């Protein structure tokens, strides 16, 4: 089993920055693809970013590209999401997810991940 715990959310002003962390425990972390998703009130959960086992390959949603950076520290069993130039539309609950069984392409859908954290709230004020 894998347990994921997000942290680092909070209230920030538009244009500000925030770093989210996701700490993993349980089974092996280093070989898992990791992803970040977000869900705003009344909306579906949407893909934000993903990273492969080594950190050498990343994928971003168009809304995140150029502003967000996903990274991982396998020695610490932790994945990060650095968010810059935040906008009010970034307001959502942010979830991290893990998937062991994937091919060449990083999963970018909710069903592509088997393990999920509880989420951390990010609120961007205007």
């Amino acid at each position: 089993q894998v347990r994921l715990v997000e942290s680092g959310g909070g209230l920030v002003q538009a244009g500000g920055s925030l770093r989210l962390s996701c700490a993993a425990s349980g089974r092996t972390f280093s070989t898992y693809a990791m992803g970040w998703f977000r869900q705003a009130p009344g909306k579906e959960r949407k893909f934000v970013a993903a990273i492969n086992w080594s950190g050498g390959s990343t994928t971003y949603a168009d809304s995140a590209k150029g502003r967000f950076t996903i990274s991982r520290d396998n020695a610490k069993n932790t994945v990060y999401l650095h968010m810059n130039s935040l906008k009010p539309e970034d307001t959502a609950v942010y979830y991290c997810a893990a998937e062991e069984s994937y091919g060449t392409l990083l999963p970018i859908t909710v069903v592509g991940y088997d393990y999920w954290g509880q989420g951390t709230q990010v609120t961007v004020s205007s």
Side-chain angles (χ1 to χ4, degrees):
Q1 299 294 329
V2 175
R3 185 182 184 222
L4 305 174
V5 180
E6 302 95 335
S7 63
L11 174 64
V12 298
Q13 292 185 330
S17 300
L18 202 62
R19 186 188 75 168
L20 306 183
S21 299
C22 176
S25 61
R27 295 189 62 185
T28 302
F29 167 81
S30 60
T31 62
Y32 282 59
M34 300 294 297
W36 284 98
F37 290 74
R38 66 187 185 187
Q39 187 167 22
K43 298 183 179 179
E44 65 182 354
R45 191 169 299 186
K46 300 295 292 294
F47 170 76
V48 176
I51 189 167
N52 76 333
W53 68 273
S54 68
S57 180
T58 58
T59 301
Y60 296 92
D62 288 341
S63 60
K65 192 174 300 181
R67 298 189 300 125
F68 295 1
T69 302
I70 187 171
S71 62
R72 67 192 297 164
D73 186 339
N74 289 341
K76 297 181 178 180
N77 289 346
T78 302
V79 63
Y80 304 96
L81 184 68
H82 295 81
M83 304 185 294
N84 299 314
S85 301
L86 285 163
K87 306 174 182 179
E89 50 262 47
D90 294 320
T91 295
V93 176
Y94 283 71
Y95 300 88
C96 69
E99 173 60 35
E100 182 177 26
S101 300
Y102 66 99
T104 302
L105 300 178
L106 287 166
I108 60 172
T109 61
V110 170
V111 296
Y113 291 85
D114 289 329
Y115 301 98
W116 294 85
Q118 85 289 350
T120 185
Q121 177 71 48
V122 172
T123 303
V124 184
S125 64
S126 59

